[in-house]
Amino acid sequence: MNDDVKQSGTTVMVVDDVPTNRYAMGAVLRRAGHHVVPVASAGEALSELDVRLRAGALPDVALVDVGLPDMSGFELCRRVKSTPSTAALPVVHFSATAVDAKDRCRGLDAGADAFLPVPAEPREIQAVVHAAVRRARRRTAAEALAHRLTLLSQAIITVQTARCLGELADAAAAGAARLTGTPAVVFVIGPDGEAHHGTSRSRLALSDAGPHQAAARLITRIADRRAGVHSTVVPAPLWPTGLFRPGVQDDARLVLASAQEGRAQVCIATPASAAPSRGAGNCATSHDGPADDRRPFAAFPAERLAQATALAAEPLLMYQAERDIALTLQHSFLPQPHRLPHLPGVDLVVRYVPASRQTEIGGDFYAALPTRDGVLTAVGDVVGHSLEAATVMVEIRHALRAYCVEESDPRALAERLDRMLLHYHPEVTATVCLTLLDPGTGRIRIANAGHIPPVIVREGGRAEYVRVCGPLLGLALDRPEPVELVLHREDRLLMVTDGLIETRGVDLTTSMEQLRTAAAGAPPGLDALCDTLLGCFGHDREDDIAMLALRLG
């Protein structure tokens, strides 16, 4: 198809104060198939542009006579080009008198796209108009493409920084909506069929989950686990009503992508009626492999976004599987409060709060064990956040249970745990605080291996840290003698992991003082103490929280 046919039907504004000139110029353009808007002055031209701008129908090009009575054509061009909303309008100056090089330069300096001396042959007039419109359209298309690529880059960056599959789907939906200018819904489907969906903020969220579930089942049936990207159109009767717009039944254009491993299937869904296409109609279309410049203009950004979302989903799915395993380990091997062993002469309360779902799994643990010399309690944390940290935590806890059958001294137990860690996990370190309490006398021995020391909350609202320290487990360093003290019947002993108080950017000493102050002001009772501290510090933590509080029974 040649340019003449492509540009037939363009709108040309002719600005000339001489009626016969306007008529002659308009006749030439109409015979070429253009729509002509004749105006007689610069002021009338600006008013006409303002009206058409509000209606969203600017002309495709303006032919402006240089010698207008109210304002020169050069000044009119300068005003048009200095207004952002009309700056892209091509302006062609024409004149029968101002035709020398100086005049042409003035026009170009004012922002004109071409200069036409008159009288001119009809073919020359048509050629100049065609060239101006063609350049403007190519420039506009290039600017639009650059804008869309910028939006695509921003969307991909947001997708790649998502911390969970829900955030990932929401980020991809918001990016798709900005790219297409339509509502968008994104589904991320894992290998087990579990679906996570996200919606663009431009649409009202459905309170009923049924349409999303129905769409996810449909996508699962038509999805192809092969690596790559393909697209299809789902007719409205098969697509859930109201998923894009409340109460509206839309055809859905689906862009589906799967990464090389094939674990994650991503679908970006937008209304098909609003998506640009060439001859697709209501029939399904399909494409495999990368997009190219022969595809519809809007297609390849959506495909690139779907592909980037699928790639970003792979590690999140792997992490989620790892986290589920680690949580299972923790829940299996950390006794729940109602399953703690009976400890004569001691009242005991424990709390365990996993970190938020966006945070990696930790290695926090607690233990309360009867021994031949009294009650042994421990709170510890394996350094690091991973499945390995959780598995090492389980080993330390079981080793402690085995060792305390024969040995109850906290220092000796810390030394044994240190050797065990060096032997089996030489690259791992851990912290632990161990206490041995004789319920009959209240005598307590405390050994610390790099952990936050225990807090003793006295009667009358006093709280203080036990001055006990020692090196981390896994360093093969000498251990100091345990600290000995007497726990009175009114005293409460509190042991916590740093996940309760550690805050990025805040010195740990400051956080420890805040914990001591909060503990001193807590109401009487072990449950009240733990609940008060969780209420003060336990919201949206980036690490697991383990807490143990005891007193003489």
Side-chain angles (χ1 to χ4, degrees), residues 341-344 368-377 401 404-405 408 436:
H342 176 60
L343 302 171
L369 304 166
T371 74
R372 63 190 180 189
D373 297 317
V375 173
L376 179 73
T377 59
R401 287 169 59 89
C404 74
V405 172
S408 59
L436 178 66

Side-chain angles (χ1 to χ4, degrees), residues 406-419:
E406 300 292 337
E407 177 62 73
S408 59
D409 179 67
R411 177 189 179 187
L413 290 172
E415 289 174 341
R416 289 192 177 188
L417 292 175
D418 185 59
R419 290 195 297 271

Side-chain angles (χ1 to χ4, degrees), residues 86-110:
T86 58
L89 175 66
V91 174
V92 177
H93 283 136
F94 66 90
S95 177
T97 56
V99 294
D100 59 18
K102 180 181 69 174
D103 297 313
R104 292 196 297 272
C105 289
R106 285 188 64 191
L108 295 173
D109 289 341

Side-chain angles (χ1 to χ4, degrees), residues 6-30:
K6 284 182 182 179
Q7 291 191 7
S8 63
T10 56
T11 300
V12 182
M13 175 185 285
V14 178
V15 188
D16 195 328
D17 61 318
V18 180
T20 55
N21 292 346
R22 290 200 304 273
Y23 176 80
M25 186 73 75
V28 170
L29 295 169
R30 289 188 185 95

Side-chain angles (χ1 to χ4, degrees), residues 15-268:
V15 188
D16 195 328
D17 61 318
V18 180
T20 55
N21 292 346
R22 290 200 304 273
Y23 176 80
M25 186 73 75
V28 170
L29 295 169
R30 289 188 185 95
R31 282 197 297 271
H34 302 296
H35 302 294
V36 178
V37 180
V39 293
S41 67
E44 186 180 341
L46 293 173
S47 298
E48 180 69 22
L49 288 176
D50 187 54
V51 171
R52 287 179 169 270
L53 183 63
R54 287 197 296 269
L58 281 175
D60 297 289
V61 64
L63 293 182
V64 179
D65 182 23
V66 169
L68 297 174
D70 55 343
M71 181 190 305
S72 74
F74 301 131
E75 180 58 27
L76 174 59
C77 178
R78 189 173 288 108
R79 290 198 182 187
V80 169
K81 295 295 185 178
S82 63
T83 304
S85 54
T86 58
L89 175 66
V91 174
V92 177
H93 283 136
F94 66 90
S95 177
T97 56
V99 294
D100 59 18
K102 180 181 69 174
D103 297 313
R104 292 196 297 272
C105 289
R106 285 188 64 191
L108 295 173
D109 289 341
D113 295 82
F115 197 100
L116 180 67
V118 293
E121 291 290 331
R123 291 184 61 183
E124 183 180 2
I125 297 173
Q126 295 171 17
V128 169
V129 169
H130 288 169
V133 172
R134 183 169 57 248
R135 283 195 300 271
R137 288 180 177 175
R138 288 177 178 173
R139 182 170 59 247
T140 301
E143 291 172 352
L145 178 60
H147 177 65
R148 293 173 72 83
L149 290 176
T150 300
L151 292 178
L152 176 61
S153 299
Q154 292 170 347
I156 289 176
I157 290 173
T158 306
V159 160
Q160 290 174 338
T161 56
R163 298 175 297 171
C164 64
L165 293 171
E167 278 189 16
L168 178 72
D170 281 336
R178 287 193 294 269
L179 281 169
T180 62
T182 67
V185 183
V186 171
F187 294 86
V188 181
I189 303 173
D192 57 355
E194 182 184 3
H196 303 262
H197 73 270
T199 59
S200 59
R201 304 301 182 194
S202 59
R203 62 178 295 277
L204 297 175
L206 289 171
S207 57
D208 181 13
H212 290 114
Q213 294 171 354
R217 288 194 297 269
L218 176 63
I219 293 166
T220 302
R221 286 199 300 270
I222 66 175
D224 189 342
R225 290 285 176 181
R226 293 175 298 166
V229 183
H230 66 281
S231 61
T232 188
V233 173
V234 176
L238 300 178
W239 188 254
T241 300
L243 201 58
F244 296 128
R245 294 171 289 187
V248 178
Q249 194 173 40
D250 290 291
D251 294 344
R253 182 174 299 279
L254 309 184
V255 178
L256 300 110
S258 180
Q260 289 183 354
E261 289 78 5
R263 291 174 55 86
Q265 181 75 47
V266 169
C267 174
I268 296 179

Side-chain angles (χ1 to χ4, degrees), residues 400-543:
L400 181 63
R401 287 169 59 89
Y403 294 154
C404 74
V405 172
E406 300 292 337
E407 177 62 73
S408 59
D409 179 67
R411 177 189 179 187
L413 290 172
E415 289 174 341
R416 289 192 177 188
L417 292 175
D418 185 59
R419 290 195 297 271
M420 184 275 290
L421 205 57
L422 280 167
H423 183 77
Y424 292 107
H425 303 282
E427 296 181 356
V428 177
T429 57
T431 69
V432 68
C433 184
L434 298 160
T435 70
L436 178 66
L437 172 65
D438 180 356
T441 64
R443 178 172 172 267
I444 188 168
R445 288 167 57 82
I446 304 173
N448 194 357
H451 202 78
I452 295 176
V455 178
I456 295 183
V457 184
R458 308 284 188 186
E459 188 179 22
R462 291 182 300 114
E464 58 188 8
Y465 285 100
V466 179
R467 296 182 178 276
V468 57
C469 60
L472 279 71
L473 300 180
L475 300 180
L477 298 176
D478 292 336
R479 310 220 152 258
E481 287 293 327
V483 170
E484 295 191 15
L485 52 88
V486 174
L487 197 66
H488 300 292
R489 191 162 298 277
E490 302 82 10
D491 297 340
R492 292 170 288 176
L493 181 74
L494 174 70
M495 304 165 70
V496 302
T497 57
D498 58 9
L500 177 66
I501 58 172
E502 191 173 44
T503 302
R504 191 174 302 174
V506 178
D507 187 83
L508 184 60
T509 304
T510 302
S511 299
M512 289 176 61
E513 177 58 25
Q514 293 171 347
L515 172 65
R516 189 198 64 79
T517 302
L526 299 179
D527 285 299
L529 174 61
C530 293
D531 293 340
T532 297
L533 297 180
L534 285 176
C536 291
F537 305 103
H539 302 289
D540 299 323
R541 305 306 300 179
E542 296 184 357
D543 199 355

